[in-house]
Amino acid sequence: PVDEKSVDEISKAEQDIINIVSTDTEVELAVSKDDDDKDGAAAELKQDAKEDELVEEEQETKEEEKVESKQETKEEAAEEEQEAAKEAVVEEKKEVAEEEKVGAEEEVVVEKQEAAKEAVVEEKKVEEKQEVVSEEKNVEEKVEETIETAKSNVSTKSNVSTKSNVSTK
């Protein structure tokens, strides 16, 4: 004969086992759900961290690009200033060379004018010398003519006086 008390105890023990198993399952489910929630939260945190990292990297890249752009702009401005300074120096040198060229040309003109004046002065001196020489020749010719005339007169007088001597005899 089956003892009812034993059956009840067995039944109760089975129910306790079912309850324990059920509770264990619920706990496992709760733990599992909690783990899933934690995993989800962790994944979400990871995703947020990745997004934050990407935003931060993007911000750093933008800042680096700004810095590089400013640096490039400064370098370009410095290069342009250097180029402008070089061009100014070249222009200044050209102007100085042009002024020196004009100065040299003016010097040449002045030298040519002075040489022309000297040539005119020399030519006048030569003309004056030629005039003096010409006058001296004229004077010499007149002196010679005068001498010739005087000789001729002396010779004529001598003849006349000889003639008069002759007629007196």
Side-chain angles (χ1 to χ4, degrees):
V2 175
D3 185 12
E4 263 187 55
K5 191 176 178 186
S6 293
V7 171
D8 280 342
E9 283 179 17
I10 291 173
S11 195
K12 187 176 180 201
E14 283 177 351
Q15 189 62 40
D16 284 344
I17 291 173
I18 289 173
N19 284 343
I20 291 173
V21 169
S22 175
T23 304
D24 280 348
T25 305
E26 285 176 16
V27 168
E28 282 179 16
L29 286 174
V31 167
S32 175
K33 185 176 186 244
D34 192 40
D35 285 347
D36 287 347
D37 288 348
K38 285 181 183 175
D39 288 346
E44 209 173 294
L45 285 174
K46 282 183 184 177
Q47 185 65 29
D48 287 348
K50 280 184 184 178
E51 287 174 3
D52 288 348
E53 191 176 319
L54 287 174
V55 167
E56 195 175 309
E57 284 179 11
E58 193 174 307
Q59 192 66 30
E60 286 176 6
T61 302
K62 284 181 181 177
E63 287 177 17
E64 287 174 3
E65 287 174 355
K66 280 183 185 177
V67 168
E68 286 175 9
S69 177
K70 284 182 182 177
Q71 187 65 29
E72 286 174 2
T73 302
K74 285 180 183 178
E75 288 173 1
E76 287 172 2
E79 286 176 11
E80 287 174 6
E81 284 180 26
Q82 266 185 330
E83 204 58 39
K86 284 180 185 177
E87 287 177 15
V89 167
V90 167
E91 281 302 312
E92 182 68 25
K93 285 183 179 179
K94 283 182 182 177
E95 287 176 13
V96 167
E98 187 64 29
E99 288 173 6
E100 288 176 354
K101 180 182 170 186
V102 168
E105 289 173 352
E106 288 174 353
E107 271 184 47
V108 168
V109 167
V110 168
E111 288 174 4
K112 285 182 179 179
Q113 287 175 340
E114 288 175 2
K117 285 179 186 176
E118 287 178 20
V120 167
V121 168
E122 285 300 314
E123 191 175 315
K124 284 184 180 178
K125 284 181 183 177
V126 168
E127 286 176 4
E128 288 173 2
K129 282 183 183 177
Q130 286 176 342
E131 285 178 16
V132 167
V133 168
S134 177
E135 286 177 15
E136 285 177 355
K137 281 186 180 178
N138 286 342
V139 168
E140 279 180 22
E141 287 176 3
K142 285 185 180 178
V143 167
E144 283 180 21
E145 282 179 21
T146 306
I147 291 173
E148 288 296 318
T149 306
K151 281 183 184 177
S152 169
N153 286 343
V154 167
S155 145
T156 310
K157 282 185 182 177
S158 176
N159 283 342
V160 166
S161 84
T162 309
K163 285 183 183 172
S164 83
N165 282 345
V166 169
S167 58
T168 339
K169 285 183 185 179

